[in-house]
Amino acid sequence: MEHLFSDYTLRMVALGSAVLGLVSGGLGTYAVLRGQSLLGDAISHAALPGVALAFLLTGSKTPLALMIGAALAGWLATLWILSVTETTRIKYDSMLALTLSVFFGAGLVLLTWIRQRAGASQAGLDTFLFGQASSLVWRDVVAMAIPGGGALALMLLFWKELKLLAFDPEYGRTMGLPMRRVDLLLTALLVVAIVIGLQTVGVVLMSAMIVAPAAAGRQWTDALWKMVLLSAGFGAAGGVTGAVLSSLETGLPTGPLIVLCMGAIVAASLFFAPNRGLLGQRLRRRRNAGRFQRETVLLDLYALGMQHADPLRPHPQGAVQAMRAKDIPVDRLLMRLNKEGLVRRAAGGWGLTDAGLRHAETLQKERR
Amino acid sequence: MKGAAAIEVRDLTVAYRDKPVLWDIDLTVPPGVLMAVVGPNGAGKTTFVKALLGLLPVSAGRIRFFDAPYEASRQQIAYVPQRGSVDWDFPTSVLDVVMMGRYGRLGWIRRPGKREREQAREALARVGMEDFAGRQIRQLSGGQQQRVFLARALVQDARVYLMDEPFQGVDAVTERAIIDLLRALRSEGRTLLVVHHDLQTVEEYFDRVMLLNVRRIASGPVEQAFTTENLRLTYGGRIAFLRSANAADAADPAAP
Amino acid sequence: MTQAEIEIQMLAVVVAAACALPGAFLVLRKMAMMSDAISHAILPGIVAAFFLTHNLNSPLLILAAAATGVFAVLLVELLMSTQRVREDAAIGLVFPVLFSIGVLLIARYAGDVHLDADAVLLGEPAFAPFDRLVALGRDIGPRALYAMGAVGLANVAFVALFYKELKIAAFDAGLAATLGFAPTLIHYGLMTSVSITAVAAFDAVGSILVVALMVAPPTAAYLLTDRLRDMILLSAGLGVVAAVAGFQAARLLDVSIAGAMASAAGVVFAIVWLAAPRYGVLAGRRRRIRQKWEFAEKMLAIHLFNHEGLPEADTEHRIGHLEEHLSWEQDFARRVVRRAQSNGLVRRADDDLLALTPKGRAAASEAITNL
């Protein structure tokens, strides 16, 4: 019985985290591509007073009521950021920081107000700070999946408009597409993605769920639809892994573990992604550098041969080494060239093969 | 002027935060011409093009395309923005970017399909980029990026083309290809207004020119408007190039 | 107010003033979000130092936090240098990860010691009077007040010593480098100052609300002045106002002191945003209305000037034409003409035809040359 219960909890936590990761990963793609990675942080903090107000007004802790309150507050905060930056000389980043901290402070005032008015019944609102995935029940998962699924469906429906918004909104406007409305739509979708995650990972860490999956997804592909798919997948994978890890030991909070898993996915992507990955880049550079050195030695051998009017004539290794700095490992380079069939070992040292001669002649033309 | 002008601008004034950037501009562009807009940095060339496209609020004045307001003639107008205006690291392919030129006609929600792909491929062929259709845009050189933008405007199949510095930072071969394309478009009867920065090539490439420095200094056929006197008025003392001897300096400085 | 309340109020004032100093430079350097990132990212440093010393008042905490804050900044810059993620994404990646590590360390090892993530996040100045500083056997006041005061003085010293360098780095980092002002050093100095202030303040106001005190008053001050010195002083002043108003409101309503201070900072900002004499919203609206008329008059003068003496002047200079070509409403055009007439810029050549007066011509040509 005990075991079954904990399994049910784990299932719900994993399912909820997967839904959240899917939605925030998919929609976070646009936030990251548009350079609005930190907007999610502002929205999630700004949602706190909305949660408290929704509870004050409705007296209910049903996830839907709290989510609507959070969404309205997050949405208002975004509009306030936009309107201040548009009407004054205040910069976007100042407004982000100001809004997130002031709204959060107002939320805290409301929470403490509720605490002393309503006694202990506000318990459960505190979980919005760090989230409490372990308290997720089926009802919560449904309450996350419906708006989240709706947001993803709208994203797919307006795929072409959102893509244009992210790539070249001004051009879209010249064609008569109302890009401002598309922008508002995307902000609304982002708000939904954030709000459904608050109960699971909390306001502080929610922004990572927006940024990290997309930052990881970007490394693996150069196609938008693949990036969205990968981000959603990474988000879900990070969510489930974090949830499972947190179940291994009591007292480990789910939100931070999910964030650490996402961080690990980002780090792995940065290093190991095939094209943009740093490791691949380093290997490619080294390979190119190695090839360049080998080709240089090959050309040296060719030049030595031409001096003796016989390009195929072998030369002692010392003569080849003498043409280059001491730290160039001519011996190893010659061995590699030998393996590639461009150079052969002969009585007088090293000589070009026929293939090596042809290769050297083309190189000679290219490098000139 | 017989018939409706392709672009007709009257008394256009644009201000940025209470500071005027364009003052009282009049301009008539007849259909089927290739016209340059030149002027020093900060003269308002880009602002002018954006104002024509309705991208900036206009303080005063009137803009008409073929005797209709901009909103009514949007489908007739294609825009080639500056290359640097977008993030070329964006995850998308060349073909995708070119197809964006059809989004305006597709309307909401509808996806580009086979037909749009065909049109995009044709446009890419016209700019000599047919082999690059599947390429990711971050792998393109500057000149190739510019050609992709041109192809995107080509699929709009417009009557008026507004281009912001299409020759900026491209290699000589691309420049040649672009000017050939512009001329071909002109011979199809389309009208092209091109923001241009290289004074040396104005006479060779264009048949009309507007000299702009906050105000319109002069405009008209190149041989009439592109005079040393007008250039001095436009660029002040900063003009640092020798005009070719055959420039028609005697012409009317303010031909409409 | 009781003795304890006076002490809390003093602490709030000192925190607000200390935060405003580095905050002003963050806002000017468009790095306001760095305050959020650093105040979260220092958590693992605090936790680690706490495990070592088991003392929340140990100066080691400040050192460790400062080191972690600088480490976070380095990490952000390292990520950016790979050119695989942009700055905003790099910030958005680094601080949640570091903060998560801190929360997990607490959850895993701190158990029931006096350190929990809530406290770090929210802070509570109400407890400050219970922890006294005793010197030479005498109680000289709450320890937090002295700690915060020391950090505040350090910030004052930093800003005063490197005022010129900070100023140049804030406005033109490139110039600062060419002048040999080592902008990197100044940059990390500022980041250290932010970290130290954040760790000293987290006890009192928590890591999120410290952001409000660092960013909101300087952002409001930015709307009030163009001079750096005034902006710094105003930031501190507005921060103090928020601290007083916030604490008094919290006392009255019996709500979170830190939350009330952040809210008050927001209210102060909102008031300034609306009412600032030059850069406020209302002033902007008023100025736009006034300038609309001046602008229109000038436009009329330039319009007439441009076409003066040309054959088309006869049509261009008609009032009816203004309606058509400047797309002015008939009413508006008439009012502009009336104003321009009464200001002596134009006269009526006949009933409908306008001409520039010499004064109008001078004004137009001056406007053109100044463009």
Side-chain angles (χ1 to χ4, degrees):
Chain A
M1 193 65 207
E2 180 77 27
H3 187 70
L4 192 71
F5 173 76
S6 73
D7 255 3
Y8 171 82
T9 311
L10 178 57
R11 247 196 337 267
M12 287 307 116
V13 174
L15 202 58
S17 309
V19 168
L20 160 65
L22 208 65
V23 178
S24 63
L27 285 163
T29 304
Y30 290 96
V32 168
L33 286 177
R34 299 182 71 206
Q36 293 185 337
S37 298
L38 295 171
L39 181 61
D41 200 31
I43 292 175
S44 66
H45 283 78
L48 191 63
V51 173
L53 269 181
F55 175 71
L56 263 181
L57 292 177
T58 65
S60 121
K61 269 187 280 177
T62 51
L64 191 67
L66 299 185
M67 273 187 201
I68 290 175
L72 283 177
W75 173 244
L76 275 177
T78 315
L79 292 186
W80 148 262
I81 291 170
L82 287 179
S83 88
V84 173
T85 46
E86 274 169 18
T87 55
T88 66
R89 58 179 188 156
I90 293 172
K91 308 293 184 298
Y92 183 63
D93 71 297
S94 299
M95 251 349 257
L96 281 182
L98 188 152
T99 306
L100 83 85
S101 55
V102 167
F103 270 63
F104 186 85
L108 212 54
V109 166
L110 286 171
L111 281 185
T112 44
W113 168 275
I114 291 170
R115 185 175 309 172
Q116 44 142 320
R117 292 293 168 300
S121 78
Q122 60 86 40
L125 294 182
D126 277 352
T127 61
F128 279 88
L129 290 181
F130 288 112
Q132 204 171 64
S134 59
S135 68
L136 286 181
V137 293
W138 177 244
R139 194 183 59 161
D140 298 316
V141 175
V142 171
M144 289 163 73
I146 290 175
L152 284 183
L154 281 171
M155 177 189 84
L156 293 177
L157 196 61
F158 292 100
W159 182 265
K160 120 176 159 287
E161 284 78 12
L162 291 173
K163 183 195 220 172
L164 194 55
L165 175 76
F167 179 63
D168 197 350
E170 205 163 61
Y171 182 70
R173 275 174 67 198
T174 69
M175 291 191 297
L177 292 168
M179 298 317 282
R180 172 125 192 141
R181 250 178 281 164
V182 181
D183 196 350
L184 291 178
L185 170 77
L186 180 59
T187 311
L189 298 184
L190 196 63
V191 167
V192 170
I194 286 164
V195 162
I196 65 169
L198 292 183
Q199 208 187 340
T200 310
V201 295
V203 302
V204 187
L205 297 174
M206 192 50 219
S207 74
M209 295 302 293
I210 296 290
V211 182
R218 179 70 191 91
Q219 312 310 323
W220 299 84
T221 175
D222 273 327
L224 181 61
W225 66 273
K226 284 186 200 160
M227 180 177 167
V228 168
L229 273 183
L230 276 171
S231 303
F234 284 146
V240 173
T241 316
V244 170
L245 284 180
S246 80
S247 75
L248 294 181
E249 193 172 339
T250 46
L252 282 188
T254 316
L257 276 172
I258 294 179
V259 170
L260 284 189
C261 289
M262 288 309 321
I265 293 176
V266 172
S269 301
L270 281 174
F271 279 107
F272 302 118
N275 259 316
R276 295 167 68 98
L278 298 172
L279 203 66
Q281 184 192 42
R282 176 152 298 182
L283 283 180
R284 266 195 307 282
R285 268 200 204 138
R286 184 174 293 176
R287 213 179 305 138
N288 287 343
R291 183 174 348 110
F292 188 81
Q293 283 191 338
R294 286 200 300 282
E295 286 172 352
T296 308
V297 170
L298 193 71
L299 284 174
D300 287 349
L301 212 51
Y302 175 72
L304 282 173
M306 291 312 275
Q307 283 170 15
H308 295 87
D310 173 14
L312 293 178
R313 179 189 157 134
H315 301 276
Q317 186 173 312
V320 187
Q321 180 76 63
M323 296 180 71
R324 293 291 148 191
K326 264 196 207 117
D327 56 331
I328 303 259
V330 167
D331 48 342
R332 252 187 296 144
L333 294 169
L334 281 167
M335 302 268 234
R336 270 297 288 276
L337 285 168
N338 185 21
K339 230 180 262 171
E340 291 170 11
L342 300 174
V343 159
R344 69 197 154 83
R345 211 189 275 272
W350 298 90
L352 292 174
T353 62
D354 288 334
L357 177 59
R358 275 195 305 276
H359 192 59
E361 277 167 346
T362 23
L363 280 177
Q364 186 78 11
K365 263 178 241 155
E366 272 172 29
R367 284 215 186 161
R368 212 176 298 158
Chain B
M1 202 66 52
K2 290 278 172 235
I7 309 172
E8 170 100 38
V9 179
R10 281 286 157 264
D11 308 306
L12 174 72
T13 295
V14 177
Y16 177 70
R17 290 200 180 171
D18 314 326
K19 191 179 149 35
V21 200
L22 291 174
W23 256 119
D24 205 27
I25 309 267
D26 293 324
L27 179 69
T28 303
V29 184
V33 301
L34 179 48
M35 183 163 192
V37 178
V38 299
N41 288 336
K45 297 176 302 237
T46 296
T47 307
F48 181 62
V49 169
K50 288 192 172 176
L52 293 185
L53 288 160
L55 291 173
L56 296 171
V58 162
S59 305
R62 201 182 65 154
I63 300 161
R64 294 176 82 80
F65 295 88
F66 296 107
D67 220 10
Y70 171 72
E71 290 73 24
S73 33
R74 229 173 226 148
Q75 307 282 4
Q76 315 283 353
I77 306 162
Y79 172 44
V80 180
Q82 283 188 19
R83 200 154 47 81
S85 65
V86 301
D87 172 16
W88 288 96
D89 194 37
F90 194 85
T92 193
S93 70
V94 166
L95 193 70
D96 254 9
V97 171
V98 177
M99 276 196 293
M100 285 179 188
R102 301 301 301 175
Y103 283 10
R105 302 235 178 141
L106 275 172
W108 285 95
I109 300 173
R110 272 188 56 206
R111 296 286 173 83
K114 206 171 176 177
R115 215 180 115 223
E116 282 71 25
R117 213 162 292 138
E118 266 325 296
Q119 289 166 324
R121 282 189 195 283
E122 277 167 33
L124 278 173
R126 268 195 94 170
V127 298
M129 294 274 293
E130 60 270 51
D131 296 339
F132 289 78
R135 197 70 76 87
Q136 298 307 321
I137 57 170
R138 74 180 168 94
Q139 300 166 342
L140 300 180
S141 70
Q144 290 167 340
Q145 291 172 354
Q146 195 62 60
R147 291 195 213 194
V148 169
F149 264 8
L150 284 168
R152 184 175 72 168
L154 283 180
V155 299
Q156 288 186 264
D157 192 23
R159 290 170 76 186
V160 176
Y161 282 80
L162 301 175
M163 305 187 175
D164 199 349
E165 304 253 20
F167 298 107
Q168 175 107 64
V170 304
D171 53 287
V173 182
T174 306
E175 177 148 347
R176 191 47 35 212
I178 292 176
I179 192 60
D180 288 345
L181 178 69
L182 300 195
R183 284 178 177 148
L185 288 171
R186 176 182 58 186
S187 64
E188 291 166 14
R190 303 177 206 264
T191 312
L192 299 101
L193 188 70
V194 179
V195 173
H196 192 60
H197 67 283
D198 182 8
L199 294 176
Q200 312 275 9
T201 49
V202 168
E203 286 161 310
E204 185 195 342
Y205 289 173
F206 297 95
D207 36 39
R208 286 188 162 245
V209 66
M210 165 160 95
L211 290 110
L212 183 76
N213 190 353
V214 183
R215 291 187 308 140
R216 184 203 62 172
I217 308 297
S219 71
V222 169
E223 59 275 13
Q224 290 172 22
F226 200 64
T227 62
T228 308
E229 170 62 10
N230 283 337
L231 283 167
R232 199 187 52 74
L233 281 171
T234 312
Y235 287 83
R238 281 164 294 166
I239 188 155
F241 86 113
L242 290 170
R243 297 257 293 117
S244 53
N246 60 356
D249 278 0
D252 176 10
Chain C
M1 281 198 286
T2 63
Q3 172 69 26
E5 280 170 340
I6 291 172
E7 285 175 2
I8 297 170
Q9 180 66 86
M10 281 169 66
L11 175 63
V13 165
V14 173
V15 170
C19 285
L21 287 175
F25 290 98
L26 286 180
V27 166
L28 279 177
R29 299 188 61 181
K30 305 190 188 73
M31 292 173 58
M33 281 305 278
M34 267 300 182
S35 64
D36 186 46
I38 288 178
S39 73
H40 285 85
I42 56 176
L43 183 62
I46 295 175
V47 177
F50 178 70
F51 286 158
L52 283 178
T53 60
H54 291 279
N55 179 3
L56 267 180
N57 300 315
S58 160
L60 191 65
L61 252 68
I62 295 216
L63 279 178
T68 327
V70 171
F71 173 69
V73 176
L74 275 171
L75 216 52
V76 167
E77 277 162 15
L78 183 74
L79 267 178
M80 282 165 63
S81 74
T82 66
Q83 297 184 333
R84 298 298 187 273
V85 289
R86 281 192 252 173
E87 182 180 16
D88 60 322
I91 294 175
L93 283 169
V94 166
F95 86 82
V97 166
L98 288 175
F99 189 74
S100 293
I101 293 174
V103 173
L104 283 172
L105 282 176
I106 293 175
R108 183 73 179 75
Y109 301 109
D112 43 13
V113 230
H114 167 67
L115 179 69
D116 63 74
D118 268 23
V120 175
L121 210 53
L122 306 179
E124 185 47 89
F127 298 132
F130 298 118
D131 184 13
R132 318 293 301 181
L133 190 64
V134 180
L136 305 171
R138 278 182 55 208
D139 175 0
I140 55 167
R143 184 195 301 273
L145 191 55
Y146 287 93
M148 206 59 231
V151 169
L153 284 178
N155 283 349
V156 171
F158 175 63
V159 170
L161 272 174
F162 298 102
Y163 184 77
K164 198 169 55 203
E165 288 81 357
L166 281 163
K167 185 173 177 174
I168 295 176
F171 293 106
D172 190 344
L175 178 68
T178 52
L179 292 178
F181 277 121
T184 319
L185 216 62
I186 291 296
H187 174 64
Y188 280 103
L190 183 60
M191 294 299 118
T192 309
S193 157
V194 171
S195 306
I196 290 176
T197 313
V199 66
F202 87 84
D203 228 9
V205 293
S207 60
I208 294 177
L209 302 166
V210 80
V211 176
L213 292 178
M214 277 196 191
V215 177
T219 306
Y222 186 57
L223 289 178
L224 290 170
T225 176
D226 285 326
R227 299 185 47 192
L228 179 60
R229 187 180 304 266
D230 295 350
M231 181 171 157
I232 293 171
L233 294 176
L234 270 169
S235 300
L238 292 173
V240 167
V241 170
V244 172
F247 176 60
Q248 295 307 324
R251 211 161 59 94
L252 215 66
L253 301 170
D254 190 18
V255 291
S256 154
I257 297 170
M261 279 166 63
S263 304
V267 171
V268 167
F269 168 76
I271 293 171
V272 170
W273 173 56
L274 285 173
R278 244 190 98 176
Y279 298 111
V281 169
L282 295 178
R285 190 156 298 168
R286 235 178 296 124
R287 188 176 58 242
R288 259 192 298 284
I289 291 171
R290 201 189 63 232
Q291 282 183 339
K292 189 176 114 184
W293 292 107
E294 288 175 3
F295 194 55
E297 275 179 62
K298 220 198 278 180
M299 210 154 72
L300 174 66
I302 289 181
H303 178 70
L304 298 177
F305 183 76
N306 274 352
H307 299 284
E308 204 169 40
L310 294 172
E312 72 262 22
D314 231 29
T315 52
E316 294 280 343
H317 285 190
R318 304 230 162 245
I319 297 181
H321 172 88
L322 301 177
E323 290 153 27
E324 188 197 330
H325 269 183
L326 294 169
S327 52
W328 284 355
E329 300 281 325
Q330 186 180 13
D331 207 38
F332 182 73
R334 277 174 207 290
R335 282 168 73 183
V336 173
V337 169
R338 221 175 301 134
R339 290 174 80 107
Q341 264 182 298
S342 69
N343 288 336
L345 296 176
V346 300
R347 60 186 173 79
R348 290 188 188 233
D350 63 42
D351 203 34
D352 194 30
L353 191 66
L354 296 171
L356 282 173
T357 62
K359 183 181 168 192
R361 200 168 296 122
S365 77
E366 190 205 317
I368 288 170
T369 43
N370 283 344
L371 286 175

